[in-house]
Amino acid sequence: MILMEQRTLGRTGRDVSVVGQGTWQLGGDWGEVEESDAFDVLDAAVDSGVTFFDTADVYGDGRSEQLIGRYLKNRPDADVLVATKMGRRADQVPENYVLDNFRSWNDRSRANLGIDTLDLVQLHCPPSSVYSSDAVYDALDTLVDEQRIAAYAVSVETCAEALTAIARPGVASVQIILNPFRLKPLDEVLPAAVAAGVGIIARVPLASGLLSGKYTKDTAFGPDDHRTYNRHGEAFDQGETFSGIDYATGVAAAAEFAALAPEGATPAQTALRWIIQQPGVTSVIPGARSVEQARANAAAAALPPLPQSTLDAVRELYDRSIRPEVHDRW
């Protein structure tokens, strides 16, 4: 196995690789993936130094969790922290975020993963008022006391939600959309997380593939791919698809971003390297549907830090092309 830089994941006290493995794709929500192919992707990630998997109980209706559980049973040498999520299997109303439901959702995830105690459970972008509920955190503390989970965290859509969660003493980490087209978390969220000792997990790091530089205005995605059916937020929050950016705007900006990639690095690796070196980021969780993608993602951890001139160019591109369209909405 290749050694990769490790950082402590907030209040979990455990170290994870700076590049993790997002597993939304393996659930089938980006198009069908065979089990053998999924195992090959996870093998490639682990052998490249990845020690952190991120999943959710709704990825493929639990298929992603099940695949990870079966994979890790066959790879006892893999020292991987698995973070899952709960909450999106029910109607998105605050009344559903109660202890009885938490236990039920938790039982299902533990069965899917084949373990008694989950490493980390994140509330999966619940209604905003949930982040302020004392009863919700009391219920999560109960899951810890019952040894159903080792730690809990949140996944958020907005910076305000992140700041509310960071103020809670039991929250181990915050997962938030962060990439060169999504800079708002840099203003307050990351500094607050550093001050509180809360980990930051950066998701949608490639803006649903835009930052790979491979897409054009004519690129077509399959009907079962969220980049087709959720482009305007039809199924879930629009920010999860292309970071909420109009596709044509994103393609044009991505072409400019690709030109910033240093010699020997792809645009996707450049985006991941940019995220890794933001103060406060613990791990970035790109997805992969192939062995080559998993290896290339992990290799971004070994790139030298981007120079200040590149960081300045990213900010200028964002301020000129992206910020006028979406910054205030985020």
Side-chain angles (χ1 to χ4, degrees):
M1 295 182 187
I2 296 173
L3 296 179
M4 186 188 298
E5 179 187 351
Q6 307 282 305
R7 295 175 183 171
T8 301
L9 183 56
R11 293 166 176 157
T12 69
R14 291 184 58 180
D15 290 346
V16 297
S17 52
V18 293
V19 176
Q21 180 64 55
T23 63
W24 186 6
Q25 288 92 334
L26 302 188
D29 298 299
W30 298 56
E32 186 59 34
V33 177
E34 295 294 330
E35 180 169 313
S36 60
D37 294 334
F39 285 180
D40 287 345
V41 167
L42 297 178
D43 261 337
V46 169
D47 291 342
S48 298
V50 169
T51 62
F52 180 46
F53 292 168
D54 178 84
T55 186
D57 59 2
V58 291
Y59 293 170
D61 194 27
R63 184 169 185 261
S64 176
E65 288 181 328
Q66 292 164 8
L67 287 170
I68 290 171
R70 291 197 290 272
Y71 171 77
L72 291 177
K73 184 177 181 180
N74 294 327
R75 281 292 304 261
D77 60 315
D79 183 18
V80 175
L81 187 154
V82 178
T84 191
K85 308 182 196 75
M86 67 178 184
R88 305 298 293 188
R89 294 180 54 77
D91 291 340
Q92 291 304 287
V93 294
E95 293 77 15
N96 280 331
Y97 285 80
V98 295
L99 181 58
D100 284 347
N101 284 342
F102 287 0
R103 285 176 172 146
S104 175
W105 301 336
N106 176 260
D107 286 345
R108 187 174 185 270
S109 288
R110 290 189 299 150
N112 284 342
L113 286 161
I115 55 178
D116 293 328
T117 302
L118 301 179
D119 295 332
L120 181 67
V121 171
Q122 305 159 99
L123 296 182
H124 198 173
C125 301
S128 290
S129 62
V130 169
Y131 298 99
S132 301
S133 170
D134 291 341
V136 166
Y137 295 102
D138 288 343
L140 292 169
D141 286 332
T142 297
L143 296 187
V144 175
D145 292 340
E146 294 175 348
Q147 298 185 342
R148 292 169 170 270
I149 64 176
Y152 61 82
V154 297
S155 182
V156 304
E157 298 289 3
T158 70
C159 292
E161 292 168 348
L163 293 169
T164 298
I166 287 170
R168 293 285 177 161
V171 171
S173 59
V174 169
Q175 184 175 140
I176 192 168
I177 299 173
L178 176 66
N179 60 56
F181 288 174
R182 184 89 159 206
L183 303 193
K184 193 171 183 180
L186 303 184
D187 298 341
E188 295 182 74
V189 174
L190 268 58
V194 170
V198 170
I200 290 290
I201 302 167
R203 76 173 186 276
V204 196
L206 304 182
S208 304
L210 272 178
L211 286 161
S212 70
K214 297 179 180 179
Y215 301 159
T216 71
K217 62 182 180 62
D218 298 318
T219 300
F221 304 96
D224 58 349
D225 190 314
H226 76 102
R227 291 170 292 185
T228 296
Y229 66 76
N230 193 61
R231 193 166 292 191
H232 303 290
E234 295 91 337
F236 40 82
D237 191 273
Q238 185 179 353
E240 304 292 343
T241 302
F242 301 128
S243 290
I245 304 165
D246 173 75
Y247 182 68
T249 299
V251 167
E256 291 190 57
F257 178 82
L260 302 178
E263 184 177 356
T266 67
Q269 290 171 328
T270 304
L272 296 176
R273 179 67 248 183
W274 180 90
I275 295 168
I276 290 168
Q277 68 189 73
Q278 299 306 314
V281 169
T282 308
S283 185
V284 56
I285 50 170
R289 293 188 63 192
S290 71
V291 167
E292 294 74 20
Q293 286 179 339
R295 289 173 177 161
N297 290 341
L303 294 176
L306 300 175
Q308 188 61 47
S309 58
T310 300
L311 302 182
D312 292 343
V314 169
R315 171 63 75 170
E316 189 279 329
L317 173 59
Y318 175 83
D319 287 342
R320 171 169 45 83
S321 298
I322 306 299
R323 183 187 183 105
E325 179 183 340
V326 294
H327 184 90
D328 291 340
R329 171 160 59 83
W330 289 335

